[in-house]
Amino acid sequence: MLDVPASRVQDPRARVYIVDHLKPGTTINRRVEVQNTSGETQKIEFYSGAASVENNAFTVPDGRTGNELSGWIRLKTAAMELDPGERRPVEVEVAVPRKASKGERYAAIWAQVTSAKERTGNVTQIHRVGIRVYLDVGPGGEPPTDFRIEGLAAEPGPGEFPVVTAKVTNTGERALDMTGTLSLTKAAVQAGPFKVTNGVTILPGQSGQVRIEVNQALPAGTWDAHVKLASGTVERTATGTIVLPVAAPMTVATSSGPSWLVYTLGGGVALLVLVTLGGWYLVRRQRAQLA
């Protein structure tokens, strides 16, 4: 993202997504930067598509399926060619109709490269990466963002290390994208912080499990656990105890309290700088990777 609203400068989500609250009849303009990170000149196509939040994940359909929000988005550049290492801005316009109903909507803005068919077969590879759009529509000010942490649990992980989970309930009126860390203390020994290892998006009124892998060998015994979780600038904390090694899942009591966090995100893959959803599909089959 090249443009961040002044009111969201401290919001890490606004640096990688288009996140906004608009009144019906409002039009906004944003710019995203596109970079060719390959070693060849690429023709890149741009379009908007549908998205939704399902099973605590930001989800995109196959192909160029649209929805109401994607229909409000106009990309002022449909396609361009970029040399290796070259980067350019792409202007995005979001125009909310005057009669738009109240509520939060989701979409994605895509950059797509289509490879030539292989000589040995009838296979075309399509690679795409994109930026999430979270747009709330309604009169007045922006709805609040808030959540609570209801419990910690320790359980065996998929590999050699255990996983600590935190149940999060969205008590606000905007979708959450959870980030955060876990710190462990046992007497004078400290471990962590360990980062959240799964991308969880939680709708208002719903709950989800945030998972943190303890990817370090630690002495056996009881450890004090301190979790700091955030969505945007809103942070909540929880404390409890876990016992290592973990023989079976266990639930522990927690206490929580509000604070604030500015959490800087960075990175980028393929063609878009600072993007968090992307994927590829091969002959009508698609896999999207969401952060």
mmCIF file of all heavy atoms in Angstrom, residues 161-188:
data_model
loop_
_atom_site.group_PDB
_atom_site.id
_atom_site.type_symbol
_atom_site.label_atom_id
_atom_site.label_comp_id
_atom_site.label_asym_id
_atom_site.label_seq_id
_atom_site.Cartn_x
_atom_site.Cartn_y
_atom_site.Cartn_z
ATOM 1 N N PHE A 161 7.145 -29.935 18.557
ATOM 2 C CA PHE A 161 6.924 -28.906 19.568
ATOM 3 C C PHE A 161 5.444 -28.771 19.907
ATOM 4 O O PHE A 161 4.579 -28.974 19.050
ATOM 5 C CB PHE A 161 7.459 -27.557 19.082
ATOM 6 C CG PHE A 161 8.937 -27.559 18.816
ATOM 7 C CD1 PHE A 161 9.413 -27.410 17.524
ATOM 8 C CD2 PHE A 161 9.847 -27.712 19.850
ATOM 9 C CE1 PHE A 161 10.770 -27.408 17.262
ATOM 10 C CE2 PHE A 161 11.204 -27.712 19.605
ATOM 11 C CZ PHE A 161 11.676 -27.567 18.317
ATOM 12 N N PRO A 162 5.135 -28.385 21.156
ATOM 13 C CA PRO A 162 3.731 -28.190 21.539
ATOM 14 C C PRO A 162 3.181 -26.880 20.977
ATOM 15 O O PRO A 162 3.918 -26.019 20.503
ATOM 16 C CB PRO A 162 3.800 -28.151 23.069
ATOM 17 C CG PRO A 162 5.169 -27.635 23.368
ATOM 18 C CD PRO A 162 6.056 -28.192 22.292
ATOM 19 N N VAL A 163 1.873 -26.737 21.072
ATOM 20 C CA VAL A 163 1.173 -25.544 20.604
ATOM 21 C C VAL A 163 0.325 -25.005 21.748
ATOM 22 O O VAL A 163 -0.352 -25.764 22.449
ATOM 23 C CB VAL A 163 0.281 -25.860 19.388
ATOM 24 C CG1 VAL A 163 -0.643 -24.697 19.068
ATOM 25 C CG2 VAL A 163 1.138 -26.203 18.180
ATOM 26 N N VAL A 164 0.362 -23.694 21.952
ATOM 27 C CA VAL A 164 -0.518 -23.032 22.900
ATOM 28 C C VAL A 164 -1.612 -22.337 22.107
ATOM 29 O O VAL A 164 -1.329 -21.618 21.142
ATOM 30 C CB VAL A 164 0.247 -22.016 23.770
ATOM 31 C CG1 VAL A 164 -0.728 -21.207 24.630
ATOM 32 C CG2 VAL A 164 1.249 -22.727 24.659
ATOM 33 N N THR A 165 -2.859 -22.576 22.466
ATOM 34 C CA THR A 165 -3.983 -21.955 21.776
ATOM 35 C C THR A 165 -4.685 -20.974 22.703
ATOM 36 O O THR A 165 -4.692 -21.150 23.921
ATOM 37 C CB THR A 165 -4.998 -22.999 21.280
ATOM 38 O OG1 THR A 165 -5.584 -23.647 22.423
ATOM 39 C CG2 THR A 165 -4.333 -24.029 20.387
ATOM 40 N N ALA A 166 -5.246 -19.942 22.096
ATOM 41 C CA ALA A 166 -6.028 -18.962 22.835
ATOM 42 C C ALA A 166 -7.375 -18.812 22.143
ATOM 43 O O ALA A 166 -7.432 -18.566 20.932
ATOM 44 C CB ALA A 166 -5.309 -17.617 22.878
ATOM 45 N N LYS A 167 -8.463 -18.978 22.889
ATOM 46 C CA LYS A 167 -9.790 -18.767 22.338
ATOM 47 C C LYS A 167 -10.105 -17.275 22.369
ATOM 48 O O LYS A 167 -10.057 -16.645 23.424
ATOM 49 C CB LYS A 167 -10.845 -19.541 23.126
ATOM 50 C CG LYS A 167 -12.253 -19.367 22.562
ATOM 51 C CD LYS A 167 -13.290 -20.115 23.386
ATOM 52 C CE LYS A 167 -14.695 -19.876 22.834
ATOM 53 N NZ LYS A 167 -15.732 -20.573 23.624
ATOM 54 N N VAL A 168 -10.417 -16.720 21.196
ATOM 55 C CA VAL A 168 -10.695 -15.291 21.070
ATOM 56 C C VAL A 168 -12.135 -15.115 20.596
ATOM 57 O O VAL A 168 -12.560 -15.752 19.628
ATOM 58 C CB VAL A 168 -9.723 -14.625 20.077
ATOM 59 C CG1 VAL A 168 -10.119 -13.172 19.833
ATOM 60 C CG2 VAL A 168 -8.295 -14.709 20.605
ATOM 61 N N THR A 169 -12.871 -14.245 21.271
ATOM 62 C CA THR A 169 -14.237 -13.911 20.867
ATOM 63 C C THR A 169 -14.287 -12.453 20.424
ATOM 64 O O THR A 169 -13.821 -11.559 21.139
ATOM 65 C CB THR A 169 -15.222 -14.129 22.026
ATOM 66 O OG1 THR A 169 -15.227 -15.517 22.381
ATOM 67 C CG2 THR A 169 -16.637 -13.734 21.617
ATOM 68 N N ASN A 170 -14.835 -12.237 19.247
ATOM 69 C CA ASN A 170 -14.959 -10.892 18.692
ATOM 70 C C ASN A 170 -16.168 -10.207 19.320
ATOM 71 O O ASN A 170 -17.308 -10.563 19.045
ATOM 72 C CB ASN A 170 -15.110 -10.972 17.171
ATOM 73 C CG ASN A 170 -15.092 -9.602 16.505
ATOM 74 O OD1 ASN A 170 -15.304 -8.574 17.144
ATOM 75 N ND2 ASN A 170 -14.847 -9.590 15.199
ATOM 76 N N THR A 171 -15.916 -9.222 20.179
ATOM 77 C CA THR A 171 -16.982 -8.498 20.854
ATOM 78 C C THR A 171 -17.246 -7.137 20.209
ATOM 79 O O THR A 171 -18.060 -6.364 20.716
ATOM 80 C CB THR A 171 -16.643 -8.292 22.339
ATOM 81 O OG1 THR A 171 -15.412 -7.553 22.442
ATOM 82 C CG2 THR A 171 -16.497 -9.622 23.049
ATOM 83 N N GLY A 172 -16.551 -6.834 19.111
ATOM 84 C CA GLY A 172 -16.749 -5.572 18.405
ATOM 85 C C GLY A 172 -17.658 -5.742 17.207
ATOM 86 O O GLY A 172 -18.430 -6.702 17.114
ATOM 87 N N GLU A 173 -17.532 -4.803 16.260
ATOM 88 C CA GLU A 173 -18.407 -4.789 15.100
ATOM 89 C C GLU A 173 -17.626 -4.785 13.785
ATOM 90 O O GLU A 173 -18.209 -4.518 12.733
ATOM 91 C CB GLU A 173 -19.337 -3.572 15.168
ATOM 92 C CG GLU A 173 -20.242 -3.575 16.386
ATOM 93 C CD GLU A 173 -21.117 -2.333 16.474
ATOM 94 O OE1 GLU A 173 -21.423 -1.732 15.419
ATOM 95 O OE2 GLU A 173 -21.485 -1.939 17.605
ATOM 96 N N ARG A 174 -16.311 -5.071 13.848
ATOM 97 C CA ARG A 174 -15.503 -5.226 12.644
ATOM 98 C C ARG A 174 -14.783 -6.573 12.715
ATOM 99 O O ARG A 174 -14.506 -7.107 13.798
ATOM 100 C CB ARG A 174 -14.428 -4.120 12.533
ATOM 101 C CG ARG A 174 -14.935 -2.703 12.391
ATOM 102 C CD ARG A 174 -15.657 -2.436 11.090
ATOM 103 N NE ARG A 174 -14.914 -2.762 9.894
ATOM 104 C CZ ARG A 174 -14.180 -1.891 9.185
ATOM 105 N NH1 ARG A 174 -14.047 -0.650 9.606
ATOM 106 N NH2 ARG A 174 -13.592 -2.274 8.071
ATOM 107 N N ALA A 175 -14.471 -7.134 11.544
ATOM 108 C CA ALA A 175 -13.722 -8.392 11.517
ATOM 109 C C ALA A 175 -12.330 -8.191 12.110
ATOM 110 O O ALA A 175 -11.730 -7.118 11.991
ATOM 111 C CB ALA A 175 -13.619 -8.904 10.081
ATOM 112 N N LEU A 176 -11.819 -9.238 12.754
ATOM 113 C CA LEU A 176 -10.504 -9.213 13.371
ATOM 114 C C LEU A 176 -9.509 -10.009 12.532
ATOM 115 O O LEU A 176 -9.854 -11.052 11.978
ATOM 116 C CB LEU A 176 -10.540 -9.835 14.766
ATOM 117 C CG LEU A 176 -11.509 -9.245 15.797
ATOM 118 C CD1 LEU A 176 -11.537 -10.146 17.032
ATOM 119 C CD2 LEU A 176 -11.099 -7.827 16.176
ATOM 120 N N ASP A 177 -8.260 -9.540 12.469
ATOM 121 C CA ASP A 177 -7.134 -10.311 11.942
ATOM 122 C C ASP A 177 -6.117 -10.421 13.062
ATOM 123 O O ASP A 177 -5.477 -9.431 13.435
ATOM 124 C CB ASP A 177 -6.497 -9.625 10.727
ATOM 125 C CG ASP A 177 -7.342 -9.773 9.489
ATOM 126 O OD1 ASP A 177 -7.720 -10.906 9.166
ATOM 127 O OD2 ASP A 177 -7.633 -8.751 8.835
ATOM 128 N N MET A 178 -5.964 -11.625 13.621
ATOM 129 C CA MET A 178 -5.208 -11.775 14.848
ATOM 130 C C MET A 178 -3.708 -11.938 14.608
ATOM 131 O O MET A 178 -3.265 -12.718 13.772
ATOM 132 C CB MET A 178 -5.724 -12.985 15.638
ATOM 133 C CG MET A 178 -7.209 -12.926 15.975
ATOM 134 S SD MET A 178 -7.735 -11.377 16.773
ATOM 135 C CE MET A 178 -6.650 -11.333 18.200
ATOM 136 N N THR A 179 -2.934 -11.164 15.361
ATOM 137 C CA THR A 179 -1.487 -11.312 15.458
ATOM 138 C C THR A 179 -1.139 -11.340 16.939
ATOM 139 O O THR A 179 -1.998 -11.127 17.795
ATOM 140 C CB THR A 179 -0.748 -10.145 14.771
ATOM 141 O OG1 THR A 179 -1.103 -8.911 15.435
ATOM 142 C CG2 THR A 179 -1.129 -10.041 13.307
ATOM 143 N N GLY A 180 0.135 -11.589 17.260
ATOM 144 C CA GLY A 180 0.518 -11.537 18.656
ATOM 145 C C GLY A 180 1.648 -12.477 19.017
ATOM 146 O O GLY A 180 2.235 -13.138 18.151
ATOM 147 N N THR A 181 1.943 -12.534 20.316
ATOM 148 C CA THR A 181 3.073 -13.316 20.807
ATOM 149 C C THR A 181 2.730 -14.010 22.120
ATOM 150 O O THR A 181 1.813 -13.616 22.847
ATOM 151 C CB THR A 181 4.305 -12.423 21.043
ATOM 152 O OG1 THR A 181 3.983 -11.401 21.998
ATOM 153 C CG2 THR A 181 4.771 -11.788 19.740
ATOM 154 N N LEU A 182 3.518 -15.037 22.417
ATOM 155 C CA LEU A 182 3.445 -15.782 23.676
ATOM 156 C C LEU A 182 4.823 -15.759 24.324
ATOM 157 O O LEU A 182 5.834 -16.027 23.668
ATOM 158 C CB LEU A 182 3.035 -17.231 23.411
ATOM 159 C CG LEU A 182 3.290 -18.245 24.531
ATOM 160 C CD1 LEU A 182 2.317 -18.016 25.685
ATOM 161 C CD2 LEU A 182 3.196 -19.674 24.004
ATOM 162 N N SER A 183 4.863 -15.418 25.618
ATOM 163 C CA SER A 183 6.098 -15.482 26.394
ATOM 164 C C SER A 183 5.903 -16.447 27.556
ATOM 165 O O SER A 183 4.828 -16.490 28.165
ATOM 166 C CB SER A 183 6.475 -14.091 26.936
ATOM 167 O OG SER A 183 6.728 -13.190 25.879
ATOM 168 N N LEU A 184 6.937 -17.233 27.854
ATOM 169 C CA LEU A 184 6.878 -18.227 28.921
ATOM 170 C C LEU A 184 7.958 -17.941 29.962
ATOM 171 O O LEU A 184 9.076 -17.545 29.615
ATOM 172 C CB LEU A 184 7.068 -19.633 28.349
ATOM 173 C CG LEU A 184 6.010 -20.112 27.346
ATOM 174 C CD1 LEU A 184 6.404 -21.465 26.772
ATOM 175 C CD2 LEU A 184 4.635 -20.183 28.006
ATOM 176 N N THR A 185 7.605 -18.157 31.243
ATOM 177 C CA THR A 185 8.545 -17.939 32.332
ATOM 178 C C THR A 185 8.456 -19.106 33.307
ATOM 179 O O THR A 185 7.360 -19.536 33.676
ATOM 180 C CB THR A 185 8.249 -16.629 33.078
ATOM 181 O OG1 THR A 185 8.255 -15.543 32.145
ATOM 182 C CG2 THR A 185 9.286 -16.372 34.156
ATOM 183 N N LYS A 186 9.627 -19.592 33.726
ATOM 184 C CA LYS A 186 9.710 -20.655 34.744
ATOM 185 C C LYS A 186 10.873 -20.315 35.651
ATOM 186 O O LYS A 186 12.034 -20.425 35.247
ATOM 187 C CB LYS A 186 9.909 -22.022 34.092
ATOM 188 C CG LYS A 186 10.119 -23.183 35.071
ATOM 189 C CD LYS A 186 10.300 -24.477 34.295
ATOM 190 C CE LYS A 186 10.775 -25.604 35.180
ATOM 191 N NZ LYS A 186 9.783 -25.931 36.224
ATOM 192 N N ALA A 187 10.558 -19.825 36.872
ATOM 193 C CA ALA A 187 11.593 -19.346 37.795
ATOM 194 C C ALA A 187 12.385 -18.246 37.092
ATOM 195 O O ALA A 187 11.836 -17.253 36.664
ATOM 196 C CB ALA A 187 12.471 -20.503 38.252
ATOM 197 N N ALA A 188 13.705 -18.438 36.928
ATOM 198 C CA ALA A 188 14.538 -17.409 36.304
ATOM 199 C C ALA A 188 14.703 -17.628 34.799
ATOM 200 O O ALA A 188 15.400 -16.877 34.131
ATOM 201 C CB ALA A 188 15.911 -17.371 36.967
#
